[in-house]
Amino acid sequence: MHELSIAMSIVEIAEENIRQSEISSVSEISIEVGGLSGVVEEALEFAMDEAVKNTVLKDAKRTIIRIPGKLKCLACFHEFEVEDIFTPCPVCGSFENDVIAGKELRVKSMIGE
Ligand SMILES: [Zn+2]
């Protein structure tokens, strides 16, 4: 399952950060997930429940922040929000668009003790 490997890498990032700091456990973590990252939030939540067991994140409150996907049309430079990447420009109908937001998948912040 795709989301499980993502969840495990989030745990790894958290553990890496903790090794470099004074804190011993994480009480809160927020994760940014782009709308075009291909990650299903519900599946990620479910996978996180498994991945955090016996780790520094086991008691952490999780917040998943969804970043809307955004494309920029290469023909007319219009910027627009989308749910999937294969969406034509609403102004000129072009399918040649650059992704300018929505690919994010990262640990935004952590609060620890
Ligand atoms: Zn356009």
Side-chain angles (χ1 to χ4, degrees):
M1 193 168 97
H2 181 55
E3 277 77 8
L4 186 57
S5 60
I6 292 167
M8 288 166 79
S9 63
I10 289 170
V11 172
E12 269 173 39
I13 292 166
E15 289 186 325
E16 188 62 37
N17 281 321
I18 283 198
R19 267 194 290 277
Q20 297 162 5
S21 69
E22 304 274 284
I23 59 178
S24 57
S25 73
V26 178
S27 55
E28 282 184 53
I29 183 168
S30 58
I31 301 156
E32 282 184 336
V33 177
L36 302 175
S37 63
V39 173
V40 179
E41 277 164 69
E42 293 73 21
L44 181 60
E45 287 276 14
F46 185 77
M48 287 294 291
D49 286 341
E50 288 299 312
V52 300
K53 281 177 186 165
N54 303 316
T55 73
V56 292
L57 292 181
K58 66 181 190 305
D59 297 317
K61 179 178 171 291
R62 289 195 302 271
T63 307
I64 293 184
I65 302 160
R66 191 175 179 83
I67 312 245
K70 208 170 183 193
L71 302 183
K72 182 176 187 175
C73 176
L74 294 178
C76 74
F77 307 111
H78 180 64
E79 294 179 8
F80 52 104
E81 284 190 6
V82 292
E83 288 298 317
D84 87 72
I85 200 164
F86 303 107
T87 307
C89 172
V91 173
C92 73
S94 171
F95 278 92
E96 286 186 46
N97 306 308
D98 261 348
V99 176
I100 54 177
K103 290 276 197 183
E104 300 81 356
L105 184 62
R106 58 180 177 177
V107 175
K108 181 161 183 272
S109 63
M110 286 196 298
I111 298 171
E113 284 151 18

Short mmCIF file of all heavy atoms in Angstrom, two decimals, residues 71-80 88-98:
data_model
loop_
_atom_site.label_atom_id
_atom_site.label_comp_id
_atom_site.label_asym_id
_atom_site.label_seq_id
_atom_site.Cartn_x
_atom_site.Cartn_y
_atom_site.Cartn_z
N LEU A 71 -2.86 24.67 -11.09
CA LEU A 71 -2.13 24.61 -12.36
C LEU A 71 -2.02 26.00 -12.97
O LEU A 71 -2.83 26.89 -12.68
CB LEU A 71 -2.87 23.70 -13.37
CG LEU A 71 -3.15 22.25 -12.99
CD1 LEU A 71 -3.81 21.52 -14.15
CD2 LEU A 71 -1.88 21.52 -12.58
N LYS A 72 -0.99 26.15 -13.80
CA LYS A 72 -0.85 27.39 -14.57
C LYS A 72 -0.82 27.02 -16.04
O LYS A 72 0.00 26.20 -16.47
CB LYS A 72 0.43 28.11 -14.17
CG LYS A 72 0.61 29.43 -14.90
CD LYS A 72 1.84 30.15 -14.39
CE LYS A 72 1.91 31.54 -15.00
NZ LYS A 72 3.02 32.32 -14.43
N CYS A 73 -1.72 27.61 -16.80
CA CYS A 73 -1.81 27.33 -18.23
C CYS A 73 -0.58 27.89 -18.94
O CYS A 73 -0.21 29.05 -18.74
CB CYS A 73 -3.08 27.95 -18.79
SG CYS A 73 -3.23 27.77 -20.58
N LEU A 74 0.05 27.05 -19.78
CA LEU A 74 1.24 27.51 -20.50
C LEU A 74 0.89 28.33 -21.74
O LEU A 74 1.74 28.98 -22.33
CB LEU A 74 2.10 26.30 -20.91
CG LEU A 74 2.71 25.51 -19.75
CD1 LEU A 74 3.49 24.31 -20.27
CD2 LEU A 74 3.62 26.39 -18.90
N ALA A 75 -0.39 28.28 -22.14
CA ALA A 75 -0.80 29.02 -23.33
C ALA A 75 -1.25 30.44 -22.96
O ALA A 75 -0.83 31.41 -23.60
CB ALA A 75 -1.92 28.28 -24.04
N CYS A 76 -2.11 30.56 -21.91
CA CYS A 76 -2.63 31.90 -21.61
C CYS A 76 -2.25 32.36 -20.20
O CYS A 76 -2.65 33.44 -19.77
CB CYS A 76 -4.16 31.92 -21.78
SG CYS A 76 -5.05 31.05 -20.47
N PHE A 77 -1.49 31.54 -19.48
CA PHE A 77 -0.96 31.88 -18.15
C PHE A 77 -2.03 32.04 -17.06
O PHE A 77 -1.77 32.60 -16.01
CB PHE A 77 -0.06 33.13 -18.20
CG PHE A 77 1.03 32.99 -19.23
CD1 PHE A 77 1.03 33.75 -20.38
CD2 PHE A 77 2.05 32.06 -19.05
CE1 PHE A 77 2.02 33.61 -21.34
CE2 PHE A 77 3.04 31.90 -20.00
CZ PHE A 77 3.02 32.67 -21.15
N HIS A 78 -3.21 31.55 -17.33
CA HIS A 78 -4.25 31.55 -16.32
C HIS A 78 -3.90 30.53 -15.23
O HIS A 78 -3.39 29.46 -15.52
CB HIS A 78 -5.60 31.19 -16.98
CG HIS A 78 -6.75 31.16 -16.03
ND1 HIS A 78 -7.19 32.28 -15.38
CD2 HIS A 78 -7.55 30.13 -15.63
CE1 HIS A 78 -8.22 31.94 -14.61
NE2 HIS A 78 -8.46 30.65 -14.74
N GLU A 79 -4.15 30.89 -13.96
CA GLU A 79 -3.91 29.97 -12.85
C GLU A 79 -5.25 29.51 -12.29
O GLU A 79 -6.14 30.32 -12.09
CB GLU A 79 -3.09 30.65 -11.75
CG GLU A 79 -1.69 30.99 -12.20
CD GLU A 79 -0.86 31.69 -11.12
OE1 GLU A 79 -1.33 31.78 -9.98
OE2 GLU A 79 0.25 32.14 -11.45
N PHE A 80 -5.36 28.21 -12.05
CA PHE A 80 -6.65 27.68 -11.60
C PHE A 80 -6.46 26.46 -10.70
O PHE A 80 -5.50 25.71 -10.84
CB PHE A 80 -7.55 27.35 -12.80
CG PHE A 80 -6.90 26.47 -13.84
CD1 PHE A 80 -7.22 25.12 -13.93
CD2 PHE A 80 -5.98 26.98 -14.74
CE1 PHE A 80 -6.62 24.30 -14.88
CE2 PHE A 80 -5.37 26.16 -15.70
CZ PHE A 80 -5.70 24.83 -15.76
N PRO A 88 -8.25 20.55 -18.21
CA PRO A 88 -7.88 21.61 -19.17
C PRO A 88 -8.06 23.01 -18.56
O PRO A 88 -8.83 23.19 -17.62
CB PRO A 88 -8.85 21.39 -20.33
CG PRO A 88 -10.03 20.72 -19.71
CD PRO A 88 -9.51 19.90 -18.56
N CYS A 89 -7.36 23.96 -19.13
CA CYS A 89 -7.51 25.35 -18.72
C CYS A 89 -8.96 25.80 -18.95
O CYS A 89 -9.51 25.62 -20.04
CB CYS A 89 -6.56 26.22 -19.55
SG CYS A 89 -6.80 27.98 -19.31
N PRO A 90 -9.60 26.37 -17.92
CA PRO A 90 -10.99 26.79 -18.09
C PRO A 90 -11.14 28.01 -19.01
O PRO A 90 -12.24 28.30 -19.48
CB PRO A 90 -11.42 27.14 -16.65
CG PRO A 90 -10.16 27.43 -15.92
CD PRO A 90 -9.08 26.61 -16.57
N VAL A 91 -10.05 28.70 -19.28
CA VAL A 91 -10.13 29.88 -20.14
C VAL A 91 -9.95 29.51 -21.61
O VAL A 91 -10.77 29.84 -22.46
CB VAL A 91 -9.08 30.94 -19.70
CG1 VAL A 91 -9.05 32.10 -20.70
CG2 VAL A 91 -9.38 31.43 -18.30
N CYS A 92 -8.87 28.77 -21.91
CA CYS A 92 -8.58 28.49 -23.32
C CYS A 92 -8.66 27.02 -23.69
O CYS A 92 -8.53 26.66 -24.86
CB CYS A 92 -7.21 29.06 -23.70
SG CYS A 92 -5.83 28.13 -23.01
N GLY A 93 -8.85 26.14 -22.70
CA GLY A 93 -9.02 24.72 -22.99
C GLY A 93 -7.73 23.94 -23.19
O GLY A 93 -7.76 22.75 -23.49
N SER A 94 -6.59 24.59 -23.01
CA SER A 94 -5.31 23.91 -23.20
C SER A 94 -5.07 22.88 -22.11
O SER A 94 -5.41 23.08 -20.95
CB SER A 94 -4.18 24.93 -23.19
OG SER A 94 -2.93 24.27 -23.18
N PHE A 95 -4.43 21.74 -22.51
CA PHE A 95 -4.03 20.73 -21.53
C PHE A 95 -2.57 20.88 -21.14
O PHE A 95 -2.04 20.09 -20.38
CB PHE A 95 -4.27 19.32 -22.09
CG PHE A 95 -5.70 18.87 -21.95
CD1 PHE A 95 -6.62 19.10 -22.97
CD2 PHE A 95 -6.12 18.22 -20.80
CE1 PHE A 95 -7.93 18.68 -22.85
CE2 PHE A 95 -7.43 17.80 -20.66
CZ PHE A 95 -8.35 18.03 -21.69
N GLU A 96 -1.90 21.87 -21.69
CA GLU A 96 -0.49 22.06 -21.34
C GLU A 96 -0.37 23.02 -20.18
O GLU A 96 -0.39 24.24 -20.34
CB GLU A 96 0.29 22.56 -22.56
CG GLU A 96 0.49 21.45 -23.56
CD GLU A 96 1.37 21.87 -24.71
OE1 GLU A 96 2.42 22.49 -24.45
OE2 GLU A 96 0.98 21.61 -25.86
N ASN A 97 -0.28 22.42 -18.99
CA ASN A 97 -0.28 23.22 -17.77
C ASN A 97 0.88 22.82 -16.88
O ASN A 97 1.28 21.67 -16.85
CB ASN A 97 -1.58 23.00 -17.01
CG ASN A 97 -2.81 23.26 -17.87
OD1 ASN A 97 -2.91 24.31 -18.49
ND2 ASN A 97 -3.70 22.30 -17.94
N ASP A 98 1.39 23.78 -16.14
CA ASP A 98 2.41 23.52 -15.13
C ASP A 98 1.75 23.38 -13.77
O ASP A 98 0.85 24.15 -13.44
CB ASP A 98 3.36 24.72 -15.03
CG ASP A 98 4.64 24.48 -15.81
OD1 ASP A 98 4.88 23.32 -16.22
OD2 ASP A 98 5.38 25.45 -16.01
#
